[in-house]
Every structure is written in C-alpha cells, then in structure tokens.
Amino acid sequence: MPDTVTPFGEFLRASRARVDPANTGLITGGSRRVSGLRREEVAVLAGVSADYYARLEQGRERNPSGQVVAAIGRALALDADARAHLFRLAGLAPGMALDESRDRVHPSLRDLLDAFPAAAAYVLSPAFDVLATNPLATALLSPFTGTNNMVRVLFSHPAARSVFVEWTTVATATVHALRLNAGTYPDDPAVHSLIKEMLATSQQFQAIWRDQTVGSLSRAYKVFVHPRAGRIELTYQTFDVRDAPGQQLLVGTPTPGASADAAAYLL
C-alpha cells in the first residue's frame, strides 16, 4: 500500500472488499484474486474513470466532489452510517465539536433514568465511559466495578466473556460504533486516546478495528449471565442526547418471563 494512503482510501478499499459482485448487476466471470469488487468495477458503478478511482483509493487524489463521493457510496452499497462516515473522511462533512458537557449528565436526564424501573438504563460518553446508571444497570454492570469504560470492559476485563454470552457480537458492534464516533468527533481526545490504547493492548480490538466497518449502536439484543441472578436477556434501544452532543442513552428491557424475573431479583 502506498505511503500516501489516507483514511478515506483505507475505508474505500475495505468497503469494496465486502461487496459481493453478484449483487451489483455487473457481468463477472473467471477467477478473482481479491475478495469483493475490483477497483475498475467500483469505477464503472460510480461513473468515474478507473484511474481517478484508483488515485482516490491510493491517496493521490484528495479532493473529490460531493457528487463523486455520493456515487461511490451508492456503488459500494454503504448504509447511512457508512455514507456519513465516508463524507466526513473526504472532508465534505464537518466533524462535531464537543464542549465540557460531553461528560456532564444533566439532572433531568438523571431523573429520566429512574423512569425505567424495570429496564437497565445508562448514559455513555462518546468514548463509551459510563456516565450515569439507574439501579438495574448498576446491578448488571457490578461484575465490572472499578472499570467504567465499556470498551475496556469488553477487551480487558477478565469477566467480560463470561458475563456477555455473545461477546463477539457485542464487542464487534462496540468497535464499529467507536470508529463512527472517531469520525464524528475528530478532535475529541478521549476517543482517540482510547483507540490508541486499545490498539496497543488488545489483538482482538486490532482485528475488529482493521475491518474499517462503522455502525451506530441503535437497536441491539444482549444476553448477560450475572453471577448472582443468572441469565438475563435484554433488548436495547439507543437514543442520542440532544442537549449533550455525543452522549447516548441506552435502555435495555428484559424479555418477559425468566429474564424479567432475574432482573427483578437484582433490584
């Protein structure tokens, strides 16, 4: 890979490797030495020259127009999060600036947490620090007392894989969301310090980070095995906190039956 490669080019290369040529409508045949699409195939789908697309991916062209970036996003079948990330990497969408409110939870939001007595509700910073919890969330996260950052919990805490039954799914989604935050808040020191730390200390984090995928947390299904209450299954929904950009409110509702009973046992 040329020394001039850019984050934009890295993201393009990783994204085209994930596209199944059979789903593009292109006539493909013969052996393929690379997974996904070839550069010239992306160029055809995006309506640009093969040379121009190659220069974008190699970092020799750094000023694509919004029209070109949009066309490439369509060619690569990027979802909304990935398209927004691509525009930010191209310098066509400004990153959001954070102020001192990034780590301060408004009193009204703390009150809202307690409005979910049967659910696990907590607030995360852009770097996935747990800023506030309601009683059930506090109980669920009690095996990780002393570590208030969910990325460090997942990749560094010895109890993570036993508490999170579907560890790979949860860890992968978390890294993808962290990459999205890194692009959205490019000047946030906590996010980038955390990424640097995890790349230096966790091979599992490195492997997931290298695939260049981005995605918001949005809706998720998680299974906890709590040392006191046993198995608890929750459906999570994530909400952006409008008066504190970068913060997210996560609310996990236990499935009816045994999970709800186990969650109630913790309270």
Side-chain angles (χ1 to χ4, degrees):
M1 187 182 298
D3 292 339
T4 56
V5 71
T6 62
F8 180 75
E10 289 179 332
F11 187 69
L12 289 179
R13 192 171 77 152
S15 296
R16 71 176 168 87
R18 288 191 287 270
V19 179
D20 183 351
N23 295 331
T24 64
L26 293 172
I27 299 175
T28 60
S31 61
R32 303 179 71 87
R33 293 183 298 170
V34 297
S35 59
L37 294 175
R38 301 184 178 99
R39 285 175 178 164
E40 57 268 26
E41 291 171 335
V42 178
V44 168
L45 292 168
V48 298
S49 73
D51 176 69
Y52 182 76
Y53 177 80
R55 286 188 282 119
L56 284 173
E57 196 170 290
Q58 293 169 351
R60 294 184 289 122
E61 169 58 58
R62 303 193 180 205
N63 296 292
S65 68
Q67 184 178 9
V68 165
V69 173
I72 291 173
R74 290 192 296 271
L76 296 173
L78 300 181
D79 64 17
D81 287 331
R83 288 197 304 273
H85 187 68
L86 185 67
F87 271 85
R88 283 191 291 269
L89 292 178
L92 296 171
M96 295 179 62
L98 299 175
D99 56 27
E100 66 278 1
S101 68
R102 67 180 303 283
D103 292 326
R104 187 174 63 244
V105 179
H106 194 278
S108 63
L109 182 54
R110 290 185 182 274
D111 292 340
L112 180 61
L113 293 179
D114 294 329
F116 302 99
Y122 55 98
V123 179
L124 292 179
S125 76
F128 292 93
D129 292 321
V130 180
L131 303 178
T133 57
N134 74 349
L136 181 55
T138 300
L140 279 176
L141 297 175
S142 62
F144 312 118
T145 299
T147 306
N148 75 332
N149 180 275
M150 291 309 300
V151 178
R152 293 190 182 98
V153 163
L154 287 166
F155 291 95
S156 303
H157 200 284
R161 291 176 184 265
S162 59
V163 172
F164 292 100
V165 174
E166 298 176 341
W167 180 89
T168 299
T169 299
V170 174
T172 299
T174 300
V175 175
H176 292 173
L178 183 63
R179 180 179 282 282
L180 184 66
N181 282 358
T184 305
Y185 311 108
D187 298 323
D188 184 53
V191 170
H192 294 281
S193 175
L194 176 65
I195 293 167
K196 182 178 179 180
E197 172 193 330
M198 298 313 301
L199 287 172
T201 59
S202 172
Q203 292 183 345
Q204 294 96 337
F205 181 93
Q206 289 176 26
I208 301 171
W209 186 260
R210 279 197 298 266
D211 73 14
Q212 294 278 333
T213 304
V214 296
S216 57
L217 293 177
S218 60
R219 189 184 301 273
Y221 171 79
K222 294 182 183 178
V223 180
F224 288 78
V225 175
H226 193 275
R228 287 198 296 118
R231 183 183 178 97
I232 302 176
E233 302 174 10
L234 303 103
T235 299
Y236 272 88
Q237 184 66 55
T238 303
F239 306 91
D240 292 328
V241 180
R242 297 299 297 272
D243 61 356
Q247 289 183 10
Q248 293 183 305
L249 168 66
L250 282 75
V251 180
T253 305
T255 56
S259 289
D261 292 342
Y265 173 78
L266 288 173
L267 297 174

